[in-house]
Amino acid sequence: GESVGLHLPTLSVQEGDNSIINCAYSNSASDYFIWYKQESGKGPQFIIDIRSNMDKRQGQRVTVLLNKTVKHLSLQIAATQPGDSAVYFCAENREGNKLVFGAGTILRVKS
Amino acid sequence: NAGVMQNPRHLVRRRGQEARLRCSPMKGHSHVYWYRQLPEEGLKFMVYLQKENIIDESGMPKERFSAEFPKEGPSILRIQQVVRGDSAAYFCASSPSVFSGTQYFGPGTRLLVL
């Protein structure tokens, strides 16, 4: 069935480097995507979102890129810090406000 | 402004017992969603409710599971006759309207069935 999936299950980066987390989706009709960060024992925390009429959106230290041609989005984190260590999920908002989550990528930041 | 609140944070039940999970949405939010997360997996949609109405329950198991969001009080996810396979983290999210796709999550309830 249609799903949202991630390429890399685990990403290790050096503190201060930039991180890129990727996500592929299969539903070409999807028009809204969200990135969440989940720390151990906590609920998902909203990071940034993007609608399908945009290619790029920037927040504080984070940027989301959307490539509708290949149905791919990515989350870029600038100057990665130890506090960024977490599991990152992309989620697709389907009709009826149902969020479909990918499996998640573990980001580990090495000091 | 308080976020989404869930209680209890941890719940232990024996097989056959009932589990009741509570969720209070963010102030001003009238839309509530429940998701289940198994270890090392993403969240899976269960049900979407507005006050006194179930909008979408396509992710709910057909038996033993029910949800409500009464006019007054928190939303309740109820699991009857729990089995070990029900052990998971259950998350509640809320949004201010159907037009806002962004959902804000609570801290979750970790259910352990012995």
Side-chain angles (χ1 to χ4, degrees):
Chain A
E2 294 179 334
S3 64
V4 179
L6 298 175
H7 293 307
L8 300 175
T10 304
L11 177 66
S12 294
V13 299
Q14 197 67 36
E15 180 179 359
D17 288 351
N18 296 334
S19 302
I20 300 176
I21 301 172
N22 297 302
C23 178
Y25 64 95
S26 54
N27 187 345
S28 57
S30 296
D31 62 358
Y32 181 57
F33 304 88
I34 310 169
W35 280 101
Y36 287 94
K37 171 187 179 184
Q38 187 177 26
E39 297 174 280
S40 180
K42 297 184 179 180
Q45 175 188 353
F46 172 87
I47 301 175
I48 193 168
D49 58 0
I50 188 167
R51 295 199 177 272
S52 59
N53 60 352
M54 303 173 69
D55 297 323
K56 179 180 180 179
R57 190 158 190 230
Q58 288 185 290
Q60 186 176 14
R61 283 202 305 121
V62 294
T63 301
V64 55
L65 299 177
L66 176 63
N67 186 329
K68 295 180 286 293
T69 302
V70 295
K71 290 184 283 189
H72 179 272
L73 68 159
S74 65
L75 176 69
Q76 300 178 0
I77 304 174
T80 312
Q81 302 170 358
D84 294 328
S85 294
V87 181
Y88 288 80
F89 295 96
C90 63
E92 171 190 7
N93 190 301
R94 296 268 177 95
E95 68 281 354
N97 265 3
K98 179 189 306 183
L99 288 181
V100 177
F101 283 79
T105 292
I106 299 171
L107 176 64
R108 292 199 177 105
V109 182
K110 297 175 287 187
S111 299
Chain B
N1 194 10
V4 178
M5 299 177 68
Q6 291 187 249
N7 68 84
R9 295 291 308 276
H10 300 273
L11 183 61
V12 179
R13 285 288 179 265
R14 296 191 181 278
R15 282 177 295 170
Q17 292 184 321
E18 178 180 288
R20 280 182 176 243
L21 288 61
R22 296 174 184 77
C23 168
S24 295
M26 288 179 69
K27 186 177 181 180
H29 287 195
S30 58
H31 299 251
V32 165
Y33 314 81
W34 286 93
Y35 294 82
R36 177 164 61 179
Q37 184 178 35
L38 296 174
E40 299 186 1
E41 292 189 8
L43 283 72
K44 297 288 195 295
F45 170 82
M46 298 181 74
V47 63
Y48 164 31
L49 310 103
Q50 294 180 30
K51 286 285 188 181
E52 300 183 280
N53 286 304
I54 297 175
I55 306 302
D56 182 347
E57 56 182 349
S58 59
M60 289 277 272
K62 299 297 182 196
E63 299 178 346
R64 301 188 297 107
F65 285 71
S66 63
E68 63 177 5
F69 189 16
K71 186 177 180 181
E72 301 291 338
S75 175
I76 306 287
L77 179 66
R78 180 183 180 202
I79 311 173
Q80 296 178 289
Q81 300 174 334
V82 295
V83 301
R84 287 197 174 137
D86 297 333
S87 295
Y90 293 83
F91 291 96
C92 169
S94 72
S95 68
S97 74
V98 68
F99 302 109
S100 170
T102 306
Q103 296 176 21
Y104 298 91
F105 283 82
T109 294
R110 273 87 184 154
L111 173 65
L112 175 63
V113 180
L114 301 177

